[in-house]
Amino acid sequence: MAEQFFGITDTGKLRDNNEDAFIAQSSDGLIIACVIDGVGGYEGGEVAAAIAKESVLSTFKQKPVDINGAMRNAFAEANEKIYTGKLEGGKNNSMACVLTLAVTDVRNNKFYYAHVGDTRLYLFRDQSLIKITKDQSFVGFLEDSGRLSEAEAMSHPKRNEINKALGFDPTANLAADYMETGESPFLPGDAILLCSDGLTDMITASQITSILLKKTTLDQKCRELIAAANNAGGKDNITAVLVLNNKKPAKPELKKPVLVKKQQAQVKEPIKPAPKQQPLPPPVSKKKGNNGGVIILLGILCLVFLGGFIWQWWKHNKTSPSITPAERKERNAEEIRLQTFINTAASDTIRLDATSLGTNITLTDTLWIRRDTLYLTGSRSTVIRKDENFGDGPAIVITPQCRYVEIDSISLQGFQVGILASNHTVLQLKNVQFKNCSTAVAYKVQPDSLFITNLFKRSNTGSDNSIEKTANSNQ
């Protein structure tokens, strides 16, 4: 288990104290990874970070039934304790902290996360670094929306001004959108990186990627990240935590059917030459020639008759009005408009609401997502349901060319498969419900011949949001 995670923190070159804290440990089958950045004075930041760390550790002493709910409770408890500490006055009257928490279930290839502030969570998959969390600051918003480049954001004078933190507001835990939460598949070979802004303010995403690509241990990678940030100036405390899914994909299984086929072919090959060595008398060959002519003639007549029959059948059905409506799927205006928005919208964000695309959409055919990045956001009342003529296909198909898809606050109802995605895609689901769906999410791990799918099915004992995972293999 120790080979799967590592964390480290460093004071940096300009600070005298370290207001960062981190968690990197296993607990009851889960890996708890957290990076906390204290705010509010020389000692206040350290106290706030320590309070948040203790709240997370006490919450995850045992594996909770509802991981998302447990993360929210840990954040709410820390927020209340920090705010109460501020009211006591003294030198800690402005303390607060920002943090990112990831709870990884490697056994079931999945991780959950919660986030407040400008610490970050990255997913490293297929040699690509993908930023999962969004910085809750004005500069972070400008960067995430594309209005500022990474270099411009790193040097912005208001880079460290945050608008959300634990300890700011005693009722923050009551607001559903105060903290960012989500969950994602964590496939064999994937890694996640949690870090403070002391790292990301000093080195770029490409520099981080180059370090993670190296064939070194998690310990060495983390230490090299810290060293790179210090070499770039080390203006703040620096913290990094890495978690690895070190399970190996079951690729060798693909060779088994090939080997069997080759062995069967080698057994049959010596039998084939036997008929060639048997002598064939001239009388026999003549009889075959005579019978062959008759057979050819009969075959030609049969083909002519069959061709005429097919022509008449095609001509009849072409003009028959009764078959055409049954074969065509007439798509309704709402789904046509939604598919058009997905294909052509200039922005990566598409919102489903009553003023644009509507909150109640019925599908007669599958929605296809072929763009690089998409944020599909609804409201609590947004429902996508299956038409009676839909069939057994998935409601949404995400093609391999998609790198990141986030679906938020949407309910999928009545489909055989809710979402079918490629293993190349990072899929984030937030407040998504699957009602009367046999399979919620299916993943294609091998897109060519052998498919190993990770299926997430609704639990029969849980709530509408509860999801359990099974694994199947189809060829």
mmCIF file of all heavy atoms in Angstrom, residues 288-317:
data_model
loop_
_atom_site.group_PDB
_atom_site.id
_atom_site.type_symbol
_atom_site.label_atom_id
_atom_site.label_comp_id
_atom_site.label_asym_id
_atom_site.label_seq_id
_atom_site.Cartn_x
_atom_site.Cartn_y
_atom_site.Cartn_z
ATOM 1 N N LYS A 288 -17.702 -35.819 -63.330
ATOM 2 C CA LYS A 288 -17.790 -34.548 -62.602
ATOM 3 C C LYS A 288 -17.953 -33.387 -63.557
ATOM 4 O O LYS A 288 -18.701 -32.465 -63.311
ATOM 5 C CB LYS A 288 -16.525 -34.333 -61.756
ATOM 6 C CG LYS A 288 -16.517 -35.163 -60.481
ATOM 7 C CD LYS A 288 -15.350 -34.767 -59.627
ATOM 8 C CE LYS A 288 -15.386 -35.529 -58.301
ATOM 9 N NZ LYS A 288 -14.279 -35.138 -57.425
ATOM 10 N N GLY A 289 -17.288 -33.481 -64.707
ATOM 11 C CA GLY A 289 -17.400 -32.387 -65.665
ATOM 12 C C GLY A 289 -18.812 -32.296 -66.214
ATOM 13 O O GLY A 289 -19.370 -31.229 -66.372
ATOM 14 N N ASN A 290 -19.456 -33.435 -66.541
ATOM 15 C CA ASN A 290 -20.819 -33.405 -67.092
ATOM 16 C C ASN A 290 -21.802 -32.890 -66.062
ATOM 17 O O ASN A 290 -22.671 -32.074 -66.349
ATOM 18 C CB ASN A 290 -21.211 -34.822 -67.540
ATOM 19 C CG ASN A 290 -20.364 -35.289 -68.731
ATOM 20 O OD1 ASN A 290 -19.863 -34.443 -69.461
ATOM 21 N ND2 ASN A 290 -20.207 -36.589 -68.891
ATOM 22 N N ASN A 291 -21.700 -33.440 -64.832
ATOM 23 C CA ASN A 291 -22.615 -32.982 -63.797
ATOM 24 C C ASN A 291 -22.382 -31.510 -63.476
ATOM 25 O O ASN A 291 -23.310 -30.781 -63.154
ATOM 26 C CB ASN A 291 -22.420 -33.796 -62.518
ATOM 27 C CG ASN A 291 -22.907 -35.236 -62.704
ATOM 28 O OD1 ASN A 291 -23.728 -35.491 -63.582
ATOM 29 N ND2 ASN A 291 -22.384 -36.159 -61.902
ATOM 30 N N GLY A 292 -21.127 -31.090 -63.589
ATOM 31 C CA GLY A 292 -20.825 -29.698 -63.284
ATOM 32 C C GLY A 292 -21.541 -28.748 -64.225
ATOM 33 O O GLY A 292 -22.011 -27.687 -63.825
ATOM 34 N N GLY A 293 -21.664 -29.092 -65.498
ATOM 35 C CA GLY A 293 -22.355 -28.219 -66.443
ATOM 36 C C GLY A 293 -23.818 -28.040 -66.083
ATOM 37 O O GLY A 293 -24.386 -26.953 -66.186
ATOM 38 N N VAL A 294 -24.443 -29.160 -65.698
ATOM 39 C CA VAL A 294 -25.863 -29.076 -65.317
ATOM 40 C C VAL A 294 -26.030 -28.207 -64.078
ATOM 41 O O VAL A 294 -26.935 -27.383 -63.980
ATOM 42 C CB VAL A 294 -26.422 -30.497 -65.051
ATOM 43 C CG1 VAL A 294 -27.847 -30.420 -64.535
ATOM 44 C CG2 VAL A 294 -26.355 -31.321 -66.322
ATOM 45 N N ILE A 295 -25.101 -28.421 -63.120
ATOM 46 C CA ILE A 295 -25.197 -27.649 -61.881
ATOM 47 C C ILE A 295 -25.027 -26.163 -62.144
ATOM 48 O O ILE A 295 -25.738 -25.314 -61.595
ATOM 49 C CB ILE A 295 -24.135 -28.153 -60.875
ATOM 50 C CG1 ILE A 295 -24.498 -29.569 -60.423
ATOM 51 C CG2 ILE A 295 -24.041 -27.223 -59.682
ATOM 52 C CD1 ILE A 295 -23.430 -30.225 -59.573
ATOM 53 N N ILE A 296 -24.079 -25.824 -63.033
ATOM 54 C CA ILE A 296 -23.860 -24.407 -63.364
ATOM 55 C C ILE A 296 -25.094 -23.806 -63.990
ATOM 56 O O ILE A 296 -25.511 -22.684 -63.677
ATOM 57 C CB ILE A 296 -22.643 -24.258 -64.292
ATOM 58 C CG1 ILE A 296 -21.353 -24.631 -63.531
ATOM 59 C CG2 ILE A 296 -22.539 -22.845 -64.836
ATOM 60 C CD1 ILE A 296 -20.125 -24.679 -64.404
ATOM 61 N N LEU A 297 -25.727 -24.558 -64.920
ATOM 62 C CA LEU A 297 -26.933 -24.055 -65.591
ATOM 63 C C LEU A 297 -28.055 -23.813 -64.589
ATOM 64 O O LEU A 297 -28.737 -22.778 -64.631
ATOM 65 C CB LEU A 297 -27.385 -25.055 -66.673
ATOM 66 C CG LEU A 297 -28.652 -24.660 -67.453
ATOM 67 C CD1 LEU A 297 -28.436 -23.326 -68.177
ATOM 68 C CD2 LEU A 297 -29.004 -25.748 -68.455
ATOM 69 N N LEU A 298 -28.242 -24.812 -63.698
ATOM 70 C CA LEU A 298 -29.285 -24.645 -62.674
ATOM 71 C C LEU A 298 -28.974 -23.467 -61.758
ATOM 72 O O LEU A 298 -29.882 -22.730 -61.340
ATOM 73 C CB LEU A 298 -29.413 -25.931 -61.856
ATOM 74 C CG LEU A 298 -30.010 -27.154 -62.578
ATOM 75 C CD1 LEU A 298 -29.949 -28.384 -61.701
ATOM 76 C CD2 LEU A 298 -31.449 -26.871 -63.009
ATOM 77 N N GLY A 299 -27.685 -23.270 -61.429
ATOM 78 C CA GLY A 299 -27.302 -22.153 -60.568
ATOM 79 C C GLY A 299 -27.612 -20.817 -61.202
ATOM 80 O O GLY A 299 -28.097 -19.890 -60.538
ATOM 81 N N ILE A 300 -27.369 -20.730 -62.550
ATOM 82 C CA ILE A 300 -27.655 -19.466 -63.245
ATOM 83 C C ILE A 300 -29.141 -19.176 -63.225
ATOM 84 O O ILE A 300 -29.588 -18.035 -62.985
ATOM 85 C CB ILE A 300 -27.117 -19.524 -64.686
ATOM 86 C CG1 ILE A 300 -25.572 -19.566 -64.670
ATOM 87 C CG2 ILE A 300 -27.608 -18.330 -65.494
ATOM 88 C CD1 ILE A 300 -24.955 -19.790 -66.033
ATOM 89 N N LEU A 301 -29.952 -20.226 -63.474
ATOM 90 C CA LEU A 301 -31.411 -20.043 -63.471
ATOM 91 C C LEU A 301 -31.901 -19.602 -62.096
ATOM 92 O O LEU A 301 -32.786 -18.736 -61.983
ATOM 93 C CB LEU A 301 -32.100 -21.342 -63.894
ATOM 94 C CG LEU A 301 -31.908 -21.752 -65.374
ATOM 95 C CD1 LEU A 301 -32.542 -23.116 -65.633
ATOM 96 C CD2 LEU A 301 -32.504 -20.704 -66.308
ATOM 97 N N CYS A 302 -31.325 -20.201 -61.042
ATOM 98 C CA CYS A 302 -31.721 -19.824 -59.685
ATOM 99 C C CYS A 302 -31.368 -18.379 -59.377
ATOM 100 O O CYS A 302 -32.143 -17.642 -58.763
ATOM 101 C CB CYS A 302 -31.054 -20.755 -58.666
ATOM 102 S SG CYS A 302 -31.717 -22.431 -58.664
ATOM 103 N N LEU A 303 -30.186 -17.960 -59.840
ATOM 104 C CA LEU A 303 -29.775 -16.574 -59.604
ATOM 105 C C LEU A 303 -30.689 -15.597 -60.320
ATOM 106 O O LEU A 303 -31.046 -14.538 -59.788
ATOM 107 C CB LEU A 303 -28.323 -16.370 -60.056
ATOM 108 C CG LEU A 303 -27.251 -17.027 -59.171
ATOM 109 C CD1 LEU A 303 -25.877 -16.867 -59.813
ATOM 110 C CD2 LEU A 303 -27.256 -16.406 -57.778
ATOM 111 N N VAL A 304 -31.085 -15.941 -61.575
ATOM 112 C CA VAL A 304 -31.989 -15.065 -62.326
ATOM 113 C C VAL A 304 -33.325 -14.955 -61.622
ATOM 114 O O VAL A 304 -33.902 -13.871 -61.465
ATOM 115 C CB VAL A 304 -32.174 -15.601 -63.768
ATOM 116 C CG1 VAL A 304 -33.266 -14.820 -64.489
ATOM 117 C CG2 VAL A 304 -30.859 -15.494 -64.540
ATOM 118 N N PHE A 305 -33.838 -16.118 -61.144
ATOM 119 C CA PHE A 305 -35.120 -16.122 -60.461
ATOM 120 C C PHE A 305 -35.043 -15.320 -59.163
ATOM 121 O O PHE A 305 -35.921 -14.510 -58.850
ATOM 122 C CB PHE A 305 -35.536 -17.571 -60.161
ATOM 123 C CG PHE A 305 -36.779 -17.663 -59.322
ATOM 124 C CD1 PHE A 305 -38.041 -17.468 -59.887
ATOM 125 C CD2 PHE A 305 -36.687 -17.924 -57.967
ATOM 126 C CE1 PHE A 305 -39.171 -17.541 -59.100
ATOM 127 C CE2 PHE A 305 -37.817 -18.001 -57.189
ATOM 128 C CZ PHE A 305 -39.073 -17.814 -57.750
ATOM 129 N N LEU A 306 -33.932 -15.527 -58.398
ATOM 130 C CA LEU A 306 -33.763 -14.813 -57.137
ATOM 131 C C LEU A 306 -33.626 -13.313 -57.358
ATOM 132 O O LEU A 306 -34.189 -12.499 -56.619
ATOM 133 C CB LEU A 306 -32.540 -15.350 -56.406
ATOM 134 C CG LEU A 306 -32.233 -14.714 -55.037
ATOM 135 C CD1 LEU A 306 -33.386 -14.955 -54.077
ATOM 136 C CD2 LEU A 306 -30.935 -15.283 -54.461
ATOM 137 N N GLY A 307 -32.876 -12.931 -58.404
ATOM 138 C CA GLY A 307 -32.719 -11.522 -58.699
ATOM 139 C C GLY A 307 -34.042 -10.864 -59.035
ATOM 140 O O GLY A 307 -34.338 -9.745 -58.612
ATOM 141 N N GLY A 308 -34.879 -11.567 -59.833
ATOM 142 C CA GLY A 308 -36.190 -11.020 -60.165
ATOM 143 C C GLY A 308 -37.075 -10.872 -58.950
ATOM 144 O O GLY A 308 -37.794 -9.874 -58.791
ATOM 145 N N PHE A 309 -36.982 -11.851 -58.045
ATOM 146 C CA PHE A 309 -37.798 -11.797 -56.837
ATOM 147 C C PHE A 309 -37.379 -10.609 -55.963
ATOM 148 O O PHE A 309 -38.223 -9.865 -55.443
ATOM 149 C CB PHE A 309 -37.641 -13.108 -56.062
ATOM 150 C CG PHE A 309 -38.330 -13.095 -54.728
ATOM 151 C CD1 PHE A 309 -39.708 -13.270 -54.640
ATOM 152 C CD2 PHE A 309 -37.603 -12.887 -53.572
ATOM 153 C CE1 PHE A 309 -40.330 -13.252 -53.414
ATOM 154 C CE2 PHE A 309 -38.224 -12.859 -52.346
ATOM 155 C CZ PHE A 309 -39.599 -13.044 -52.265
ATOM 156 N N ILE A 310 -36.044 -10.448 -55.800
ATOM 157 C CA ILE A 310 -35.552 -9.334 -54.990
ATOM 158 C C ILE A 310 -35.947 -8.002 -55.596
ATOM 159 O O ILE A 310 -36.341 -7.071 -54.886
ATOM 160 C CB ILE A 310 -34.015 -9.433 -54.834
ATOM 161 C CG1 ILE A 310 -33.654 -10.653 -53.986
ATOM 162 C CG2 ILE A 310 -33.425 -8.167 -54.212
ATOM 163 C CD1 ILE A 310 -32.165 -10.922 -53.903
ATOM 164 N N TRP A 311 -35.875 -7.877 -56.898
ATOM 165 C CA TRP A 311 -36.262 -6.627 -57.574
ATOM 166 C C TRP A 311 -37.719 -6.293 -57.315
ATOM 167 O O TRP A 311 -38.068 -5.156 -56.992
ATOM 168 C CB TRP A 311 -35.967 -6.746 -59.063
ATOM 169 C CG TRP A 311 -36.617 -5.642 -59.880
ATOM 170 C CD1 TRP A 311 -37.709 -5.722 -60.679
ATOM 171 C CD2 TRP A 311 -36.177 -4.288 -59.953
ATOM 172 N NE1 TRP A 311 -37.989 -4.511 -61.233
ATOM 173 C CE2 TRP A 311 -37.065 -3.598 -60.793
ATOM 174 C CE3 TRP A 311 -35.119 -3.593 -59.374
ATOM 175 C CZ2 TRP A 311 -36.928 -2.257 -61.074
ATOM 176 C CZ3 TRP A 311 -34.986 -2.250 -59.659
ATOM 177 C CH2 TRP A 311 -35.888 -1.595 -60.504
ATOM 178 N N GLN A 312 -38.594 -7.296 -57.461
ATOM 179 C CA GLN A 312 -40.011 -7.055 -57.238
ATOM 180 C C GLN A 312 -40.281 -6.669 -55.779
ATOM 181 O O GLN A 312 -41.096 -5.786 -55.505
ATOM 182 C CB GLN A 312 -40.825 -8.308 -57.622
ATOM 183 C CG GLN A 312 -40.842 -8.600 -59.124
ATOM 184 C CD GLN A 312 -41.515 -7.478 -59.925
ATOM 185 O OE1 GLN A 312 -42.472 -6.866 -59.457
ATOM 186 N NE2 GLN A 312 -41.013 -7.237 -61.135
ATOM 187 N N TRP A 313 -39.588 -7.379 -54.839
ATOM 188 C CA TRP A 313 -39.787 -7.071 -53.427
ATOM 189 C C TRP A 313 -39.319 -5.657 -53.102
ATOM 190 O O TRP A 313 -39.995 -4.905 -52.401
ATOM 191 C CB TRP A 313 -39.002 -8.083 -52.586
ATOM 192 C CG TRP A 313 -39.075 -7.820 -51.105
ATOM 193 C CD1 TRP A 313 -40.030 -8.227 -50.229
ATOM 194 C CD2 TRP A 313 -38.130 -7.051 -50.339
ATOM 195 N NE1 TRP A 313 -39.753 -7.783 -48.960
ATOM 196 C CE2 TRP A 313 -38.592 -7.046 -48.997
ATOM 197 C CE3 TRP A 313 -36.959 -6.375 -50.647
ATOM 198 C CZ2 TRP A 313 -37.908 -6.390 -47.988
ATOM 199 C CZ3 TRP A 313 -36.286 -5.730 -49.645
ATOM 200 C CH2 TRP A 313 -36.761 -5.732 -48.329
ATOM 201 N N TRP A 314 -38.148 -5.270 -53.613
ATOM 202 C CA TRP A 314 -37.628 -3.926 -53.361
ATOM 203 C C TRP A 314 -38.527 -2.854 -53.952
ATOM 204 O O TRP A 314 -38.800 -1.830 -53.338
ATOM 205 C CB TRP A 314 -36.218 -3.815 -53.954
ATOM 206 C CG TRP A 314 -35.611 -2.433 -53.769
ATOM 207 C CD1 TRP A 314 -34.992 -1.951 -52.699
ATOM 208 C CD2 TRP A 314 -35.612 -1.379 -54.742
ATOM 209 N NE1 TRP A 314 -34.599 -0.666 -52.885
ATOM 210 C CE2 TRP A 314 -34.954 -0.279 -54.143
ATOM 211 C CE3 TRP A 314 -36.095 -1.249 -56.045
ATOM 212 C CZ2 TRP A 314 -34.786 0.914 -54.807
ATOM 213 C CZ3 TRP A 314 -35.920 -0.049 -56.701
ATOM 214 C CH2 TRP A 314 -35.267 1.022 -56.089
ATOM 215 N N LYS A 315 -39.027 -3.128 -55.171
ATOM 216 C CA LYS A 315 -39.890 -2.153 -55.834
ATOM 217 C C LYS A 315 -41.188 -1.965 -55.061
ATOM 218 O O LYS A 315 -41.696 -0.851 -54.908
ATOM 219 C CB LYS A 315 -40.182 -2.628 -57.268
ATOM 220 C CG LYS A 315 -40.974 -1.619 -58.104
ATOM 221 C CD LYS A 315 -41.116 -2.116 -59.532
ATOM 222 C CE LYS A 315 -41.890 -1.096 -60.372
ATOM 223 N NZ LYS A 315 -42.076 -1.576 -61.754
ATOM 224 N N HIS A 316 -41.702 -3.091 -54.541
ATOM 225 C CA HIS A 316 -42.948 -3.007 -53.778
ATOM 226 C C HIS A 316 -42.754 -2.232 -52.478
ATOM 227 O O HIS A 316 -43.559 -1.373 -52.124
ATOM 228 C CB HIS A 316 -43.446 -4.424 -53.475
ATOM 229 C CG HIS A 316 -44.604 -4.448 -52.508
ATOM 230 N ND1 HIS A 316 -45.877 -4.070 -52.857
ATOM 231 C CD2 HIS A 316 -44.637 -4.789 -51.190
ATOM 232 C CE1 HIS A 316 -46.671 -4.182 -51.799
ATOM 233 N NE2 HIS A 316 -45.937 -4.618 -50.774
ATOM 234 N N ASN A 317 -41.678 -2.537 -51.758
ATOM 235 C CA ASN A 317 -41.450 -1.896 -50.474
ATOM 236 C C ASN A 317 -41.023 -0.451 -50.601
ATOM 237 O O ASN A 317 -41.217 0.339 -49.693
ATOM 238 C CB ASN A 317 -40.388 -2.669 -49.675
ATOM 239 C CG ASN A 317 -40.936 -3.956 -49.108
ATOM 240 O OD1 ASN A 317 -41.622 -3.962 -48.087
ATOM 241 N ND2 ASN A 317 -40.660 -5.060 -49.776
#
